[in-house]
Amino acid sequence: MKQITRTRTDPEETRSRILEVAENFFRSIGYQKTSVADIAAEVGMSPANVYRFFPSKGAINECICGRIVEEVAAIAFSIARTNAPAPEKLSRLLTSIHEHNKATLIKEKRTHEMVAVAMQENWSIIKAHIERMTTIMEGIIREGVEAGDFDVDDPAEAARCVKTAFVPFFHPLLIEHCIQHGEDTEQGLREQLRFILKALGKRA
């Protein structure tokens, strides 16, 4: 008797497909207007089936938001791994983050809105992202201390201070506010970078 071979879809493949469809919806019409029913119909399954892979719409939101902020983390990691001096690396990292977030606002409004809400509501994925970015900055500051480029007693504390000082150029809503009011974010960014590097520099 001929054996019938049945192929089963890998759960991870299905999960990835759901996220792929959800991300496309989020980028085109926004995450708030996208329903689980929309995602399920596009994937070709029932909403109940989608909930087998994700416990809630919020869980899907967090996953997609994680994908979005991962783009920022990838930029930061690539700069942190270079052989440039620490002051240059830190300046490039902060500048690149600002430019990326500003470009997202201009070119991908729906994505920008989602990250802005996630930051306002302090989603767990955003909290983890900010902690990771602060850790990357701490690593660069430690390199600078070891090389004699920076003079701080506590690199972890210094990284947290840099993060706080950079909020106006990092937070999506604050970037949007500046653009709406015609403020020169590039000039402000350069001034803030000079302030940050001076604060990290050698004491007199």
Side-chain angles (χ1 to χ4, degrees), residues 93-136:
L93 185 150
L94 296 176
T95 300
S96 296
I97 293 172
H98 173 68
E99 290 176 347
H100 176 86
N101 290 353
K102 187 175 179 181
T104 299
L105 165 62
I106 296 171
K107 298 177 182 178
E108 295 189 50
K109 180 70 173 177
R110 304 299 185 193
T111 300
H112 162 83
E113 291 172 350
M114 181 180 191
V115 176
V117 170
M119 293 191 74
Q120 278 186 301
E121 297 179 355
N122 197 28
W123 292 7
S124 60
I125 194 70
I126 289 294
K127 184 178 180 180
H129 170 64
I130 292 175
E131 289 176 353
R132 178 166 55 169
M133 297 299 293
T134 305
T135 299
I136 294 172

Side-chain angles (χ1 to χ4, degrees), residues 15 19 53-65:
R15 194 173 188 278
L19 290 177
F53 297 90
F54 297 93
S56 65
K57 168 74 184 310
I60 297 176
N61 294 345
E62 289 256 359
C63 285
I64 301 304
C65 189

Side-chain angles (χ1 to χ4, degrees), residues 25 34-48 50-51 57:
F25 272 123
T34 301
S35 67
V36 172
D38 294 329
I39 298 168
E42 185 69 20
V43 176
M45 61 172 59
S46 67
V50 171
Y51 286 122
K57 168 74 184 310

Side-chain angles (χ1 to χ4, degrees), residues 3-29:
Q3 184 175 4
I4 298 175
T5 303
R6 296 181 179 178
T7 59
R8 298 182 62 185
T9 304
D10 188 315
E12 278 304 312
E13 288 181 9
T14 301
R15 194 173 188 278
S16 296
R17 175 61 180 153
I18 291 170
L19 290 177
E20 179 186 346
V21 168
E23 184 171 356
N24 289 337
F25 272 123
F26 288 5
R27 290 183 184 273
S28 60
I29 65 174

